[in-house]
Amino acid sequence: MMRHSGGNTTEPVSRFHSLSTTTSVSSLPGMVHGEERTPLVNQSDVEAGHMTRVQYGSSSMITSASGVKLPADTSKRNSMFKKRVRYYVPSTAWIPDYSISLLGGDLLAGVTLAAMLIPQSVSYGTSLAKLSPTTGLFAAALPPIMYSLLGTSRQLNVAPEAALSLLVGQAVSDYRRGDHHVRPEDADAVGIAVSTAITFQVGLFASMLGFFRLGFLDVVLSRALLRGFVTAVAVVIAVEQLIPMFGLAVLEKQMNPASTLDKIIFLLEFSWSDFHEPTTLVSFGALFVLIFMRTFKGYFRRTWWIERLPEVLLVVVLSTIISGYLRWDKKGVDILGIIPIKTGGDFFSFPLKQSIGYIRGTTSTAVLITIMGFLDSTVAAKQNADRFGYSISPNRELVALGAANLFGSFVPGTLPAFGSIVRSKINGDVGARTQLASLVTAGITLGATFFLLPYLYYLPRCVLASIICLFVISLFSEVPHDLMYYWRIRAWTDLAMMFLTFSLSVIWNIEIGIIVSLIISLLLVIKRSSHTRMIILGRIPGTDQWGPITDNPGAEDVPGILIIRIRESLDFANTAQLKERLRRLELYGQERTHPSEEPRRQAASTLVFHMADVETCDASAVQIFHELLETYQNRGVELFVTHLRSGPRQMFERAGIVELLGSEAFFATLGDAMTSIGQR
């Protein structure tokens, strides 16, 4: 905007009433030098009537479009509070901004997932956790409600998992087998108390991991270790389900095989001679139908109504109707029967009220479930976040999963619940775009728990075992690919970890297998991190450049001079073996040799440290480095340091290393150092 003044000259007129154009221009040099700290007003904000801060003057107020003045600190606090709430409670962000256009996809995904999840949860509760079907249903209905409010993933479906339910079932069986004073009618109460104790601890541990921001722990376990664990779990689950599928459940209780290996031997011995024919026909017939329908759907991926057929729900409904019509129960087929909602007392109860005596004995199981559940959940959450273009926070995920399990533990007997890669992928494929889909699934599942279970009276239990075997098949699908991959790249350590985890889990038990493998994995990480990464430099022929002698075969190794480039920051972990590592480099170079062999290099009279890659150096590392330099000085070795950054140099000065070597031992470049050495 221009204003005429007197003659024909014009001068600019600022549209900012509190800040003139002349003032803003003259203020720029001061702003550059940090004297002017108040930012310029955004013109579009002023014209739109947004709340703007008065730039100059004694009053620190916020002026709104209506002319109401608010204290600046109050407005800033309110804005910060809203940001914090939206961060810690993500539902306060997506619920107010929910678009009705997303409702159709969320509803369809919720209904589809519920159709798959209800029979699956019943199977997990009865066949794997050795508890009532309602325990699996409550785990599929209650934790997702809390996760939908606190979780950052929009497609993650939280519900009981096969491997985790199996761990609960093993703990329940151990307590029932070990407590000889428990009467048969008290077995359900023991199972409920054990499951509640585990779920409560899982929620507590996950919340603590998130609170202390330990979401990075998913990088500790290698892919090979997880593959060995998942494969072992698949074998254990398959063995557990083959027993009821052959109709050997009663004989198993009499023989009481303890480990998975014992159960494999039990199946080999009795499955051919003592199987129950009607049960075997029903179970394997149901498994065949499930596999056929899933394969059939694979050929029609572009036909949405065929792809979304809930084959599991169809098999459950049909087998229940046929069983009731033909009265399979009179032929010896075990059916679901009446399912009372058992929670050991009140529906809602403080978790430790009845489970305090089982806390100590179930802690290891709870820790293992927390780790494995989080790993599976975070992989599923990251996959969907990358797929749909948003970000997640592993620490927020831990807190949300912890809160979900804590909430579920207030209903006694509820199983631990975590996210699933398969279910979450299906959730996104069908149309879920917000956590409302999980709320729909939870609502339908909760309604089915109270109103639909009586209609499953004639459902054969062996059909539930067949459903679990269907999901076990998917666990085996990636094993051949991973085995061939590790074999092709000759990753013998990874193969060894995979087979060790698998063997210990099957021969001993799952807890021993994963704990031993986890300890070995951590030891390998520590071992690798304790080796300081160093290389020997040599002059590249015909140039003034220096490079690693391993990457440049023609690089000249100067006799009597050892040039070491340290390739990482120094800390207490990787400097503990620094002296030994330098000695081996000095005598043998970088080739792998046995310590008993004769030295391949002459002892160095001059040692040059190239430290361009050392960004930080902690107190322990400086102390060890000081002692190392003193040792070399006592041997009469000349010492030089090049490319030292300002941060480590300050540490060296404070520790007395600069005084020890003298300022003339420090050079800006390796070339300067070598020129000085040559002149001497």
Side-chain angles (χ1 to χ4, degrees):
M1 180 182 295
M2 307 297 291
R3 182 179 62 190
H4 293 273
S5 58
N8 296 329
T9 59
T10 59
E11 60 180 290
V13 178
S14 173
R15 301 175 70 173
F16 300 89
H17 300 294
S18 60
L19 181 63
S20 69
T21 306
T22 306
T23 305
S24 63
V25 173
S26 63
S27 300
L28 287 178
M31 293 178 186
V32 173
H33 294 290
E35 298 169 6
E36 176 57 67
R37 302 182 183 274
T38 308
L40 295 175
V41 181
N42 187 313
Q43 180 177 351
S44 61
D45 287 345
V46 175
E47 293 177 341
H50 296 162
M51 300 180 70
T52 59
R53 184 181 302 275
V54 178
Q55 298 298 319
Y56 295 94
S58 59
S59 178
S60 178
M61 303 292 288
I62 298 291
T63 305
S64 67
S66 60
V68 178
K69 293 185 178 182
L70 299 175
D73 292 342
T74 301
S75 176
K76 186 180 294 185
R77 284 197 300 268
N78 290 340
S79 176
M80 187 63 67
F81 176 75
K82 290 180 181 179
K83 290 180 180 179
R84 292 291 185 267
V85 170
R86 291 167 72 93
Y87 175 79
Y88 289 109
V89 187
S91 58
T92 59
W94 70 264
I95 291 178
D97 298 333
Y98 189 81
S99 174
I100 197 68
S101 62
L102 304 176
L103 184 60
D106 286 340
L107 287 176
L108 180 61
V111 173
T112 303
L113 218 58
M116 181 185 75
L117 198 56
I118 291 171
Q120 181 179 316
S121 300
V122 172
S123 303
Y124 291 170
T126 56
S127 301
L128 297 181
K130 314 296 183 184
L131 297 169
S132 167
T134 56
T135 59
L137 290 171
F138 284 140
L142 298 176
I145 297 175
M146 182 61 69
Y147 178 83
S148 298
L149 300 176
L150 301 178
T152 58
S153 176
R154 301 168 191 172
Q155 285 78 28
L156 188 69
N157 178 262
V158 176
E161 283 286 283
L164 310 184
S165 301
L166 178 65
L167 291 173
V168 174
Q170 289 183 343
V172 169
S173 299
D174 290 342
Y175 266 100
R176 287 174 176 171
R177 189 184 301 114
D179 192 352
H180 301 291
H181 303 289
V182 176
R183 301 188 304 274
E185 57 268 23
D186 293 333
D188 289 339
V190 171
I192 290 173
V194 171
S195 177
T196 303
I198 292 174
T199 305
F200 175 77
Q201 292 181 89
V202 166
L204 189 63
F205 294 152
S207 300
M208 291 174 62
L209 289 175
F211 179 79
F212 290 108
R213 307 187 67 80
L214 298 177
F216 63 88
L217 289 177
D218 61 323
V219 303
V220 175
L221 300 183
S222 66
R223 175 80 176 269
L225 188 151
L226 294 177
R227 176 55 57 200
F229 172 76
V230 170
T231 307
V233 166
V235 171
V236 173
I237 292 175
V239 171
E240 293 276 354
Q241 302 317 303
L242 284 174
I243 292 175
M245 288 176 69
F246 280 109
L248 300 173
V250 176
L251 183 60
E252 182 208 11
K253 291 181 179 179
Q254 297 174 357
M255 302 292 293
N256 196 22
S259 66
T260 301
L261 186 60
D262 294 334
K263 292 177 182 179
I264 293 175
I265 296 173
F266 169 82
L267 279 171
L268 293 175
E269 184 176 356
F270 296 103
S271 61
W272 304 103
S273 57
D274 293 76
F275 70 94
H276 186 253
E277 185 174 350
T279 301
T280 304
L281 290 174
V282 170
S283 57
F284 284 96
L287 180 60
F288 173 78
V289 172
L290 287 169
I291 295 175
F292 173 78
M293 291 186 66
R294 179 157 289 189
T295 306
F296 176 77
K297 286 168 59 178
Y299 289 105
F300 294 91
R301 295 185 182 276
R302 297 184 179 180
T303 308
W304 68 270
W305 64 272
I306 294 180
E307 184 186 8
R308 295 174 183 176
L309 281 175
E311 69 275 8
V312 174
L313 183 62
L314 290 176
V315 167
V316 167
V317 172
L318 290 176
S319 61
T320 302
I321 294 173
I322 297 173
S323 175
Y325 181 76
L326 298 179
R327 296 305 303 269
W328 283 346
D329 55 317
K330 292 185 177 181
K331 298 179 182 180
V333 178
D334 191 16
I335 61 174
L336 204 59
I338 299 175
I339 307 173
I341 297 179
K342 297 180 180 180
T343 59
D346 299 329
F347 182 74
F348 279 101
S349 175
F350 186 69
L352 299 182
K353 183 177 180 181
Q354 299 173 344
S355 305
I356 188 67
Y358 300 93
I359 291 293
R360 180 176 299 178
T362 56
T363 298
S364 60
T365 301
V367 171
L368 184 58
I369 289 175
T370 303
I371 295 173
M372 301 312 303
F374 167 64
L375 291 175
D376 202 10
S377 300
T378 192
V379 169
K382 288 179 179 178
Q383 285 181 351
N384 283 283
D386 294 339
R387 180 182 176 188
F388 293 101
Y390 61 91
S391 61
I392 66 163
S393 168
N395 294 311
R396 298 305 310 149
E397 286 295 294
L398 274 168
V399 172
L401 292 168
N405 282 281
L406 285 174
F407 178 64
S409 67
F410 278 82
V411 176
T414 302
L415 298 177
F418 283 93
S420 163
I421 297 175
V422 176
R423 287 197 311 270
S424 301
K425 184 178 185 302
I426 294 174
N427 202 25
D429 289 342
V430 176
R433 294 299 177 267
T434 69
Q435 290 91 332
L436 181 64
S438 292
L439 290 175
V440 172
T441 302
I444 295 175
T445 306
L446 198 60
T449 305
F450 289 100
F451 303 110
L452 296 183
L453 283 182
Y455 297 99
L456 298 178
Y457 180 89
Y458 288 105
L459 174 63
R461 291 182 180 269
C462 61
V463 172
L464 297 177
S466 302
I467 293 171
I468 294 178
C469 280
L470 177 68
F471 292 100
V472 167
I473 294 174
S474 65
L475 295 179
F476 284 115
S477 61
E478 294 185 7
V479 175
H481 173 270
D482 283 353
L483 283 175
M484 293 301 297
Y485 174 76
Y486 292 130
W487 181 271
R488 186 170 64 252
I489 66 175
R490 300 183 179 181
W492 311 128
T493 302
D494 295 276
L495 280 172
M497 287 293 297
M498 182 187 297
F499 281 108
L500 178 66
T501 307
F502 175 81
S503 303
L504 291 176
S505 300
V506 172
I507 297 174
W508 198 264
N509 61 49
I510 289 179
E511 287 188 36
I512 294 296
I514 192 63
I515 289 174
V516 171
S517 300
L518 179 60
I519 292 174
I520 295 176
S521 180
L522 289 174
L523 290 176
L524 288 175
V525 171
I526 294 172
K527 180 179 182 293
R528 289 164 182 165
S529 64
S530 65
H531 281 229
T532 311
R533 293 187 298 149
M534 298 184 293
I535 56 174
I536 300 176
L537 300 183
R539 187 193 299 273
I540 299 176
T543 69
D544 293 332
Q545 297 179 349
W546 302 79
I549 60 175
T550 54
D551 299 336
N552 301 276
E556 299 172 351
D557 188 9
V558 184
I561 301 177
L562 181 63
I563 307 172
I564 298 292
R565 180 165 186 172
I566 302 177
R567 301 302 305 270
E568 60 186 339
S569 296
L570 299 177
D571 54 41
F572 70 94
N574 61 15
T575 52
Q577 299 182 12
L578 184 60
K579 182 178 180 180
E580 177 63 22
R581 291 269 293 146
L582 281 171
R583 188 191 70 83
R584 288 185 60 84
L585 288 175
E586 183 181 0
L587 298 180
Y588 302 101
Q590 293 194 255
E591 296 182 6
R592 299 188 65 177
T593 56
H594 194 272
S596 62
E597 296 185 16
E598 293 295 327
R600 300 181 179 181
R601 298 169 55 95
Q602 68 179 36
S605 59
T606 302
L607 185 58
V608 182
F609 291 98
H610 186 301
M611 306 187 73
D613 299 320
V614 180
E615 296 183 358
T616 59
C617 192
D618 66 12
S620 298
V622 172
Q623 186 177 17
I624 295 173
F625 200 67
H626 189 286
E627 296 171 355
L628 178 68
L629 296 177
E630 284 184 328
T631 302
Y632 276 108
Q633 273 195 341
N634 294 333
R635 279 178 45 190
V637 177
E638 287 190 287
L639 301 170
F640 299 92
V641 178
T642 69
H643 297 85
L644 187 63
R645 295 171 178 254
S646 59
R649 185 179 181 90
Q650 291 178 1
M651 293 290 290
F652 280 20
E653 290 174 350
R654 295 167 187 164
I657 293 179
V658 175
E659 182 181 355
L660 175 69
L661 300 182
S663 59
E664 66 277 4
F666 292 83
F667 292 89
T669 66
L670 180 58
D672 293 342
M674 297 306 296
T675 300
S676 176
I677 294 172
Q679 292 175 352
R680 297 189 184 189

